[in-house]
Amino acid sequence: MLRSTTSYHEALNKLAAQGKTIVYLQYFGQLCPHLAAHHHQALYGTQFPTRIALPALVRDDIVHLARIEPRQGERPAMVSYAGTAAVDHDFHADSDEAPPSFLREAGEYPARTWPAQLYTDTWAGAVTALLVKPVGNGASQTTVASITFALDKPWAGLATLHDGVVASSDFDAATMHWATGAAGAAELTHGLEHTQLEFCARCGTGLTPDYCPSCYRAFPHEASRTAGSLELPRKARRALQAMGFQYDGMRT
């Protein structure tokens, strides 16, 4: 059984982002650290579609779900991401499908293995910041990272404090936790409506409809994601830098 939490975090975030992937026996060692080697072999050799529970990364009250599709002829086994669920969710109440396998093991594993990384759900809102940069002459753009924030109030509640405009200081004060990657985002936004906004990957400033107001680079992006000169929370910018996002002009 692989014990590397880094390999599990990477495998789960990648699966959540891609949605589906081809798998081989070794993959189950990364994706299922809560299970023994004989379980990995059984899952890889299953002849029937199987839904399993996977450990959470930062929350102590939910699990991730994945669906295994067995090998068919020359086609290898596939695993698809199936979202999140509360550890005490009554699966019998809303589906004729059997509860996911290894629900207890997945629910208990994080507290034993990375307890210092876990949060209890006490937040009321969430927002995802997409760090983007222009490509070529600015006619297109690419997302280089995303970070999701758990807030002590809904995003709309922050906007009401200043006539519909969210102040950077209020954003910073409201930020309770954050997580990077698709799986971490799924956990912090579980059961909540959340907003996505675009920020400049160079300086961490929210984008206007066509440019960054701090470094003046042009950005073709969706107006609905405009962050309007809002700054990323200071503590989150420092965390991003610590993880290697050292872009020219990134303020601390």
Side-chain angles (χ1 to χ4, degrees), residues 95-119:
S95 174
D96 293 332
E97 189 176 13
S101 300
F102 310 112
L103 184 61
R104 178 182 59 82
E105 292 87 344
E108 295 176 353
Y109 186 80
R112 293 200 315 267
T113 313
W114 48 79
Q117 300 177 25
L118 298 180
Y119 310 132

Side-chain angles (χ1 to χ4, degrees), residues 9 31 36 42 46 71 129 148 160 167 171 179 188 190 203 219 237:
H9 284 52
L31 191 65
T46 184
R71 289 174 290 176
T148 298
T160 62
F171 186 12
L188 294 189
H190 176 80
C203 66
F219 281 87
R237 292 201 302 272

Side-chain angles (χ1 to χ4, degrees), residues 145-147 178-181 236-246:
S146 67
I147 180 168
W178 59 85
T180 57
R237 292 201 302 272
R238 289 175 176 168
L240 283 169
Q241 288 182 312
M243 290 185 291
F245 297 101
Q246 300 287 350

